[in-house]
């Protein structure tokens, strides 16, 4: 059980942060293109999911979220989006269940506290704050489904 | 706590607003820091009136500084000053190991050169509070490692100390520029 990597996007598609822990295979394209590909794919999936849904999503009590995660035979991609358009995307392996609250914590306790409230971090650009990077790293490493050995 | 975030965000905007509207050359000679400090001065004067309206008269200067470290700091920043030192001759050093306006910025050396901008308002706050309690003073700040900071206040009690105050202002401007 492990976490492979994490992306943080803002509402304009700018990749605010990327970090990886266990990634055995690179995408083979430059990082900038990888971020654009990821963002574009998520945007398309989101609109696809809401259009093709056989049920009315907004009628359910806790519906309204739409796309939550997708999985392949090797990994699972978890997605969380805030009303302000910040998207948290985490790739983990298959043994991990829904981690919505984890992604929510990354947004509220880390991004909002350390980046939004930091006057020297301009919004809409890649996050330069060392504090954010180190706190995020130690938080992810402390998660119960993170193991130091790539599993 | 919503009110804490409000003050923090407003203060950050204030600092960047003062710097954005500064003319050429003003950033270098510390005028922006003086503007922020004067804003803090006026706010401190008002705050101290409000906070001390029900307390008893203060016995001496040390009592006043203890009030600033405990009640005043708790009401403004929701915590107390961690350490107060004095030489009993008018110099008081207040140390805050987790200064509320700096905790979000960094934990160490990153952004250190910008830290003094975010302390100017608080220096003025202390100076304004002391001035309305009858003490003329000069307050300076130094940050060696975020988010800990040291605020030093020099009480000006007689004619000779006006010379000292000129010297201190000169040195403190130097500190803001050189980040000693």
């Amino acid at each position: 059980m492990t976490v492979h990597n994490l992306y943080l996007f803002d509402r304009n598609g700018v990749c605010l942060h990327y970090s990886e822990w266990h990634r055995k295979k690179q995408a083979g394209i430059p990082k900038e293109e990888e971020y654009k590909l990821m963002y574009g794919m998520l945007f398309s999936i989101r609109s696809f999911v809401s259009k093709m849904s056989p049920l009315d999503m907004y009628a359910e009590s806790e519906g309204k979220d739409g796309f939550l995660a997708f999985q392949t035979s090797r990994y699972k991609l978890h997605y969380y989006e805030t009303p302000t358009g910040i998207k948290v995307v985490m790739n983990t392996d298959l043994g991990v269940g829904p981690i919505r609250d984890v992604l929510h914590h990354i947004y509220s306790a880390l991004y909002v506290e350390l980046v939004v409230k930091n006057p020297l971090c301009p919004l809409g650009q890649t996050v330069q704050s060392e504090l954010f990077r180190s706190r995020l790293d130690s938080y992810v490493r402390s998660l119960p489904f993170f193991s130091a050995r790539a599993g | 706590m919503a009110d804490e975030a409000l003050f923090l965000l407003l203060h950050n905007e204030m600092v960047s607003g003062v710097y954005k509207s500064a003319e050429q050359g003003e950033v270098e000679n510390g005028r922006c820091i003086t503007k922020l400090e004067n804003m803090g001065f006026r706010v401190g004067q008002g705050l101290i009136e409000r906070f001390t309206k029900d307390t008893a008269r203060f016995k001496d200067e040390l009592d006043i500084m203890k009030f600033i470290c405990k009640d005043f700091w708790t009401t403004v920043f929701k915590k107390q000053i961690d350490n107060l030192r004095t030489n009993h001759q008018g110099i008081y050093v207040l140390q805050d190991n987790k200064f509320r306006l700096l905790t979000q910025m960094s934990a160490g050396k990153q952004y250190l050169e910008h830290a003094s901008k975010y302390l100017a308002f608080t220096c003025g706050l202390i100076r304004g509070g002391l001035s309305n309690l009858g003490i003329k003073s000069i307050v300076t700040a130094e940050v060696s490692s975020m988010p800990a900071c040291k605020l030093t206040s020099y009480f000006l009690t007689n004619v000779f100390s006006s010379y000292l105050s000129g010297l201190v202002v000169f040195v403190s401007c130097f500190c803001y520029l050189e980040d000693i």
Side-chain angles (χ1 to χ4, degrees), chain A residues 91-150:
Chain A
N91 284 328
T92 69
D93 75 347
L94 294 174
V96 179
I99 50 165
R100 218 172 142 64
D101 46 344
V102 169
L103 300 179
H104 177 73
H105 182 268
I106 291 181
Y107 170 69
S108 67
L110 294 175
Y111 178 73
V112 169
E113 283 299 313
L114 302 175
V115 178
V116 173
K117 286 190 182 172
N118 184 345
L120 299 165
C121 275
L123 300 178
Q125 289 177 25
T126 324
V127 174
Q128 302 288 349
S129 163
E130 284 302 321
L131 186 60
F132 175 73
R133 199 183 303 265
S134 61
R135 286 261 178 95
L136 179 64
D137 189 60
S138 48
Y139 175 70
V140 169
R141 283 179 195 277
S142 73
L143 290 171
F145 51 82
F146 183 93
S147 74
R149 281 183 315 108

Side-chain angles (χ1 to χ4, degrees), chain A residues 2-125:
Chain A
T2 183
V3 176
H4 297 295
N5 53 11
L6 176 89
Y7 301 78
L8 206 69
F9 292 102
D10 79 347
R11 64 160 11 139
N12 300 319
V14 176
C15 181
L16 301 172
H17 183 75
Y18 169 74
S19 41
E20 61 185 38
W21 289 273
H22 299 121
R23 184 176 183 172
K24 296 218 192 89
K25 174 187 154 315
Q26 297 297 326
I29 50 176
K31 273 281 179 269
E32 286 304 319
E33 299 210 7
E34 182 183 317
Y35 301 149
K36 284 201 203 133
L37 190 63
M38 172 68 82
Y39 184 80
M41 184 272 297
L42 290 171
F43 191 82
S44 310
I45 287 194
R46 242 183 61 226
S47 57
F48 173 86
V49 158
S50 66
K51 266 201 206 101
M52 304 295 278
S53 162
L55 302 165
D56 183 4
M57 281 200 312
Y58 294 94
E60 295 168 37
S61 55
E62 44 169 79
K64 291 198 301 179
D65 299 323
F67 174 53
L68 296 174
F70 75 64
Q71 77 179 55
T72 73
S73 50
R74 300 298 303 274
Y75 71 93
K76 189 169 178 181
L77 179 144
H78 304 263
Y79 175 78
Y80 175 73
E81 181 175 356
T82 72
T84 54
I86 304 290
K87 303 167 178 49
V88 187
V89 180
M90 188 186 262
N91 284 328
T92 69
D93 75 347
L94 294 174
V96 179
I99 50 165
R100 218 172 142 64
D101 46 344
V102 169
L103 300 179
H104 177 73
H105 182 268
I106 291 181
Y107 170 69
S108 67
L110 294 175
Y111 178 73
V112 169
E113 283 299 313
L114 302 175
V115 178
V116 173
K117 286 190 182 172
N118 184 345
L120 299 165
C121 275
L123 300 178
Q125 289 177 25

